[in-house]
Amino acid sequence: MAHNTVDPRRVELLLDRPDTEGPVVYWMSRDQRVRHNWALLFARFRAQSMRQPAAVVFTLAPSFAGASPAHYRFMLTGLREVEKDLEKLGIPFFLLFGEPAETLPGFLDEIGAGTLVTDYSPLNISRRWKSAVSQSIVIRFFEVDAHNIVPCRTASGKQEFAARTFRPKITALLGDFLTPFPENNLRQASFPHAPPDWIRAFDSVAGGSGSLPDAWPESGEKAAGARLGTFLANGLRNYADKRNDPNAGTVSHLSPYLHFGQISAQECALCALEADVPATSRQAFHEELIVRRELSDNYCRYNRHYDSYAGIPAWARESLEKHALDARYHLYGESEFAAALTHDGLWNAAQRELLATGTIHGYMRMYWAKKILEWSASPEEAFNTAVALNDRYALDGRDPNGYVGVAWSIGGVHDRPWFERPVFGKVRYMNAAGCARKFDVKSYIRRFSS
Ligand code: FO1
């Protein structure tokens, strides 16, 4: 690939209008970073070839999928860093308040935009926003997949059944797409613009500009890069054999940065290739970072019910329905789960990890969701509870990875039928004894006891 172009398979033309003079505007949403961002690169290359300036705009939605004020504080803190880094390139950053369809068309007219570029997301809210905006603009509108290494639409044209069927399709294309990013540090002549009203932004959605929960990671592209460096130096080595041990400290802790797009998965994968670690560790990390993460985008792209019980495969739904009337020896509602008030110390520790750190260790996340299935009045209620808790408390929630995590645990998505048992039917079962075989359950419970 030439040094100043973006692979056309990464780019989808959402609105085909004649080429028009005027600034090329990147409507940033999912990929909230300046470096290693294919959508920004595409906008800049196009601007430079048309001898036009580039600009970036972010539309702040008042309520996003159950996000808490703290999630918004994390996001806005990262966006302030984006604004400063864009400043160094002479690229203005604009912040609009309210529904994109109401604010973006007027803004684009105001600055005489000639092209609109946005980044790819399979989520329904993102699709709704883009089709609404498409109705009210008359300039070319491109969507660039800046989140996936192999563009989602290229990896597969249909919903995949499992990692087993998806992995070969990804692997076959990594040669084309797992490549170094072109640099584009040319500074453009900046054009006059009012700075974003950050005070209003923090006050309106983030409950003011207070500090983040102290167990949360620091927000922003720089902190994300530092986190990657630390993980590659200390955690990646044991990633293969300690990945299922929540006490081993080998988790990358990159998922909040990947969710908010403050770091590029492609950059993480490229750096892991350079790391001096056993091949098994690198492969285990690539499996999570590339295959599993892109499989969740695939599920959300091709299954509109990705965040609901209606989306799970027929074999699982039939089996869960067959066992819907089995006795539940414990029953909890969303508020008891949220407050970690179950009878099970291990489950409560996982919920407290979620409340304190904004994430649950991968292995425990499966146990956490599967026990919600076991202790809810119905499988559908369990699904809704798990999605609601994950979206409300997880820093990396409101993300395809989170929805697929729940759908796998409760609905057998990307998994296969197991031997039938009460309540779970043929959905894979997990219990505390299984956890105890993997790691020191007592020390995990101690770590999250209050
Ligand atoms: N994206 C936006 O474009 N505007 C928002 O106001 C916004 C809020 C938000 C809050 C929490 C959160 O986890 C993500 C949020 N996002 C927002 C980014 C969001 O990750 C992506 O735009 C969607 O997930 C599409 O993938």
Side-chain angles (χ1 to χ4, degrees), residues 27-32 58-65 67-68 71-72 75 100 119-123 125-126 129 259-260 394-400:
W27 173 21
M28 176 183 277
S29 175
R30 194 180 192 195
D31 293 280
Q32 300 169 15
F58 188 88
T59 56
L60 189 59
S63 66
F64 187 92
S68 70
H71 293 134
Y72 272 102
M75 184 181 79
D119 43 45
Y120 171 71
S121 166
L123 296 193
I125 185 167
S126 185
W129 282 349
H259 165 65
F260 284 102
L395 188 46
D396 59 355
R398 303 159 304 283
D399 187 279

